[in-house]
Amino acid sequence: MSSREQHDRMANAIRFLAMDAVEKANSGHPGLPMGCADIATVLFSRFLKFDAKAPHWADRDRFILSAGHGSMLLYSLLYLTGYEDMTIDQIKNFRQLGSKTAGHPEYGHAAGIETTTGPLGQGLANSVGFALGERIMNAAFGNDLVNHYTYVLAGDGCLMEGVSQEAIALAGHLKLNKLIVFWDNNNISIDGPVSLADNTDQVARFQASGWNASHIDGTDPEAIAYAIEAARHSDKPTMIACKTTIGFGAPTKAGTNKAHGSALGPEEIAGARKFFNWSSPPFEIPADILDAWRAVGKTGVKARTDWEGRLAKADAKLKGEFERRIAGKLPENFDAVLGDYKKKLSQDKPKVATRKSSEMALEVINGTVPETIGGSADLTGSNNTKTSQTKNITSDDYGQRYVHYGVREHGMAAAINGLTLHGGLIAYGGTFLCFSDYARPSMRLASLMGIRSIFVMTHDSIGLGEDGPTHQPVEHLAALRAIPNHNVFRPADAVETAECWQIALESEKTPSTLALTRQNLPTVRTEFSAKNLSSQGAYELAAASGEAVVTIFATGSEVEIALGARDLLEKHGHPTRVVSVPCFELFDLQSDDYRKKTIGNAKVKVAIEAGIRQGWDHLIGTDGIFVGMHGFGASGTIEQLYPHFGITADAAAKVVEARLHK
Ligand SMILES: Cc1ncc(C[n+]2csc(CCOP(=O)(O)OP(=O)(O)O)c2C)c(N)n1
C-alpha cells in the first residue's frame, strides 16, 4: 500500500467513526471530522509527541480541539491511537448519559481531552495559556524536562468570536512560537456560508497580530506536513489556514451547512461508503488500519522513556520540585508560613483595603509558592496583583511571573485556565469586579472543569466612588455565586483575605473569585485563630451580650458596618450578634448542625451587603431585612454613596428597631 493510500484509509477511519457515531446517536456534528480528518491524521501520525498509554506525561504535545462541536474527531483519534479510556463502546455511546463521549469534549471525562471546549473561541484562547505555560516551565526546568508544542484546531466560529482577537494578539505579542493553530477554512457555519456574516482576511489578521500565517490545501497531506514543519521552526506563533470541505465525502451534503450539526442519514452515509470505497460496517475498523493507528499511539514511547530517564537523572532538588509542581501540591511549609502571617496581622491590625490585604498576602504567598503566575487586565496598580517577586514575563524572558494581559479580561481568564490546565503553575489575574462579566464565560468553564484558576476582582462595590454606576458592581456577586463549583470570597479584613487566599490555593478542583475593596477597612479579626475560620464560609464574629434577638450577616466592607450597627443595637438593649460570611459556597457545605447554629434563631435576621439581595434569603429568610442595593449605583464619593443608599450602621440599626417595635 502506498503511503498516500495508507494516509487516506487512516483518515477515512476517523471519518466513518464520526459519521457512524453521530448517526447512531442521531445527534452531533459529522461535518468537521470529515473535513479535518487529513489534518488530524498528518498531525497525529507524523508530528504529535504523545504516548497513548501515558496520557498525562508532562512533556507531551498538547492537542486542543477548539471547535468542540467536532468532538467526534477527538474521540476517534483517542480510540484509534489506543487511549485506554476511549473504548469502542464509548464511541458507540457518543452523547449518551454517563459516557465519556459527551456532546462536546469535557476535561476530566477521558484522558487526552486537554480542556473543555464547545463555547467557540475558548480552546483557542486557552491555548495561549498552554503555550505560555510551556515557556514558563521551560524557563524554570530547562529543555530536558519541558519542550513541547501546543496544536489547536479552530473553526470559523472560533475566529469570529471576540475572544479570539484577545488571544491571538496576546500570543503574537508574547511570541509564543510553539503555538500552532489550524484553521478549518471551510466557508461554512450553521446559518450557511460564512460570507453571510464575515469577510475577514484571516491570514492578514493573524499576520497583523504578529503571527506567521499562510493558506494551504487542508486535504493534501504533504502540504499539511510541510506547513507544520515550517511552523515548528518559526520564531512566531503560526496559523495554518487549511482549505477543507465540511462533510467531505457526503454525496449531497458536503460543502453545505447540512453537514454541520446533524446525522447525515443512511443515504448520505451509504454514498460516502461508496465514495471512499469503505466496506467495513459501522464501528469496525479494518485490522491493518487499526494496527497502523495503534502504532501511532506508541511512537512516543521512546521519547517518553528518554524523558523519564532525564528526569530520573536530574538534580534531586529540581526533580522533586518539578514533581511537586506537576502534582499540583503546595510547598510543605505553606500552611506554617500563612499561619505566622495571620498571627502577625492580628497583632498589627492593619487598616487597609482588602485589595491591599490581598497584595500583602500575595507577597507572602509568592515568596513561598514559586509556581504562582500573576497578572492583570491593565489594572495592575488598582488590582494590587503584583508583588516584589513577580517581574514581567516578556518574549525575551519567560522566566518571570507576571503577565500584563492588556485590556483583555476574557482572553486573560481563558489564558489563566490554559496556564492552570498546562500543569505546574497556579495562575491568578485581576480586573474590576464589574468587568467579571467580560471574563465570565471562561470563569464558568473553570468551574465546569473543576480547576484551580483564581480571579482577583477589586473595586467590589459602590465604595469605588466617583467612577459611577458603569463601574460599580451590584449584581455581580449574585451572578458569580450562581455558577456551580465556584468559590466567591468577599473577605472583611486582612486576616480573612489571607484565609481566603489560602483556601483558593488549596482548592485544587474549584476556581475562586476574590472580591476585594478599594476602600480601607479595619482589622476585625483581632484575636488570632490558628483555624481558618473563613473555610467555614460563615462564622460568628461577634457574640450578643445575651440571648440574641438580632443576627446581622455581612460580607467584606459591610462587616464593619454590621459591627457598628451591633454597637448601636446593644446600646439600645437589643442583644445582637454579627456573622461574617466570606463565602456562601463553603457555608453551604457545612454540617446541618453548624449551619443551624450559625444562622441561629434570633427574632430579626439582617443581611448587609452593598450588592443586590438575590441569594441572601437562604440565610435571612424571605422575611429577613436586607440592607444593600436595589438598583444601580451612582457617581459620588464613598462618603456620599453609602448614606445615599442607606447602607450605614445607623440606617441598619433603625430598620431593625422599627421591626422590633412592630
Ligand atoms: C460561543 C458559542 N456560540 C455559538 C455556538 C453554537 N455553534 C456551534 S457550532 C457553530 C458554528 C460554527 O461554525 P464553524 O466554526 O465554521 O464550524 P463548522 O460549521 O465548520 O463545523 C455555532 C454557532 C457555540 N458552540 N459557541
Side-chain angles (χ1 to χ4, degrees), residues 29 31-32 67 69-70 104 118-121 154-161 184 186-191 194 246 257 259-260:
H29 301 76
L32 182 147
H69 58 281
H104 295 81
L120 296 170
D156 300 303
C158 293
L159 300 196
M160 280 193 263
E161 290 292 349
D184 177 22
N186 66 13
N187 288 25
I188 292 291
S189 65
I190 291 180
D191 280 2
V194 169
I246 192 167
N257 58 344
H260 165 87

Side-chain angles (χ1 to χ4, degrees), residues 308-331:
E308 284 168 355
R310 293 196 296 276
L311 179 63
K313 275 198 233 120
D315 166 77
K317 216 170 134 209
L318 188 85
K319 174 174 181 285
E321 184 65 358
F322 182 81
E323 288 176 334
R324 178 189 71 74
R325 286 177 54 167
I326 290 294
K329 299 297 165 203
L330 295 169

Side-chain angles (χ1 to χ4, degrees), residues 42 181 222 311 478 509 532:
V42 172
V181 174
E222 294 320 310
L311 179 63
K509 294 191 184 313
N532 186 326

Side-chain angles (χ1 to χ4, degrees), residues 195-332:
S195 59
L196 285 172
D198 192 56
N199 289 302
T200 303
D201 179 341
Q202 296 290 0
V203 163
R205 175 189 172 209
F206 275 76
Q207 285 169 341
S209 295
W211 289 55
N212 280 320
S214 58
H215 287 284
I216 65 162
D217 175 351
T219 62
D220 175 351
E222 294 320 310
I224 297 165
Y226 185 84
I228 296 175
E229 198 55 57
R232 286 159 62 97
H233 294 98
S234 161
D235 57 356
K236 301 172 184 172
T238 298
M239 190 276 269
I240 306 169
C242 304
K243 179 54 78 191
T244 63
T245 301
I246 192 167
F248 180 62
T252 70
K253 294 187 176 174
T256 75
N257 58 344
K258 293 198 177 78
H260 165 87
S262 49
L264 293 172
E267 277 172 33
E268 287 286 310
I269 293 186
R273 276 194 154 68
K274 230 182 245 162
F275 178 80
F276 289 117
N277 193 20
W278 188 266
S279 54
S280 301
F283 308 111
E284 278 181 33
I285 304 299
D288 61 320
I289 292 303
L290 188 58
D291 287 351
W293 268 118
R294 290 288 150 95
V296 167
K298 292 187 187 120
T299 45
V301 171
K302 182 169 179 330
R304 196 247 310 158
T305 50
D306 286 354
W307 178 88
E308 284 168 355
R310 293 196 296 276
L311 179 63
K313 275 198 233 120
D315 166 77
K317 216 170 134 209
L318 188 85
K319 174 174 181 285
E321 184 65 358
F322 182 81
E323 288 176 334
R324 178 189 71 74
R325 286 177 54 167
I326 290 294
K329 299 297 165 203
L330 295 169
E332 254 168 40

Side-chain angles (χ1 to χ4, degrees), residues 44 48 50-57 60-63 71 73-87 90-91 99-101 105-115:
F44 273 65
L48 197 76
F50 75 109
D51 176 353
K53 294 287 181 275
H56 303 293
W57 167 30
R60 68 192 180 282
D61 286 342
R62 308 305 200 262
F63 173 67
S71 54
L73 176 81
L74 180 56
Y75 301 153
S76 302
L77 288 161
L78 298 181
Y79 164 66
L80 290 167
T81 53
Y83 281 72
E84 262 154 31
D85 280 350
M86 197 55 70
T87 61
Q90 291 293 342
I91 303 285
S99 74
K100 295 178 194 292
T101 44
E106 287 193 49
Y107 176 72
H109 278 214
I113 300 172
E114 303 284 3
T115 180

